[in-house]
Amino acid sequence: QVQLVESGGGVVQAGGSLTISCLASGRALSSYFALGWFRRAAGKEREFVGGISWSGGSTDYADSVKGRFTISRDNAKNTVYLRMNSLTPEDTADYYCAARQMDPFDTTVVRTTNYPYWGQGTQVTVSS
């Protein structure tokens, strides 16, 4: 079992930056866990934001955040981060991290919600 706890959410002005974190416990993320960030805005479906392969060698992002958001991982700290720059009110949402253990030969990024482990979310509000 993997427990995930997000932190770092808050209120930020449009154009500002924020970094949210997700701390894992129960298993080492270095054990072939791919990681993803998703978000759900009020009245909308959960959507993929960004993902990183278990090796850290591959990342992928939704078109809406590409060039503004950066996902990274620190296996020594069992933590995944999402750095968000140039935030707009459209980025307002609850942000969730997710983890999935992969086959060691599979270094792809998982863009779907097919993750067995999810955090409870952290709220990000971008004011105009």
Side-chain angles (χ1 to χ4, degrees), residues 3 14 27 32 46-47 54 64-65 70 73 85-87 89-90 92-93 103 105 115 117 120:
Q3 292 78 44
R27 298 284 303 278
Y32 312 115
R46 185 175 299 190
E47 65 174 354
W54 70 257
S64 59
V65 307
T70 303
R73 62 189 296 161
N85 295 327
S86 302
L87 285 161
E90 288 68 39
T92 295
D103 184 278
F105 298 101
Y115 287 84
Y117 304 109
Q120 294 299 306

Side-chain angles (χ1 to χ4, degrees), residues 8-9 32 46 48 58 67 80 88 93 108 120 122 127:
Y32 312 115
R46 185 175 299 190
F48 172 77
S58 297
V80 60
T88 74
T108 58
Q120 294 299 306
T122 187
S127 62

Side-chain angles (χ1 to χ4, degrees), residues 6 20 37-40 49 69 82 84 87 90-97 120-124:
E6 301 93 339
I20 55 177
W37 283 100
F38 293 76
R39 67 186 181 186
R40 179 185 287 154
V49 175
F69 289 13
L82 185 68
M84 303 180 288
L87 285 161
E90 288 68 39
D91 296 315
T92 295
D94 292 325
Y95 284 73
Y96 302 86
C97 65
Q120 294 299 306
T122 187
Q123 189 173 58
V124 174

Side-chain angles (χ1 to χ4, degrees), residues 12-122:
V12 61
Q13 286 192 329
S17 299
L18 193 67
T19 298
I20 55 177
S21 305
C22 175
L23 174 65
S25 61
R27 298 284 303 278
L29 294 181
S30 58
S31 298
Y32 312 115
F33 279 93
L35 302 164
W37 283 100
F38 293 76
R39 67 186 181 186
R40 179 185 287 154
K44 295 187 177 181
E45 296 291 318
R46 185 175 299 190
E47 65 174 354
F48 172 77
V49 175
I52 188 167
S53 62
W54 70 257
S55 67
S58 297
T59 57
D60 196 11
Y61 300 92
D63 287 343
S64 59
V65 307
K66 200 169 292 185
R68 299 188 298 123
F69 289 13
T70 303
I71 187 171
S72 61
R73 62 189 296 161
D74 185 339
N75 287 342
K77 296 182 178 180
N78 232 26
T79 300
V80 60
Y81 304 95
L82 185 68
R83 174 67 176 179
M84 303 180 288
N85 295 327
S86 302
L87 285 161
T88 74
E90 288 68 39
D91 296 315
T92 295
D94 292 325
Y95 284 73
Y96 302 86
C97 65
R100 171 178 164 178
Q101 194 169 35
M102 309 294 284
D103 184 278
F105 298 101
D106 187 350
T107 58
T108 58
V109 174
V110 181
R111 294 178 58 98
T112 69
T113 56
N114 190 18
Y115 287 84
Y117 304 109
W118 291 84
Q120 294 299 306
T122 187

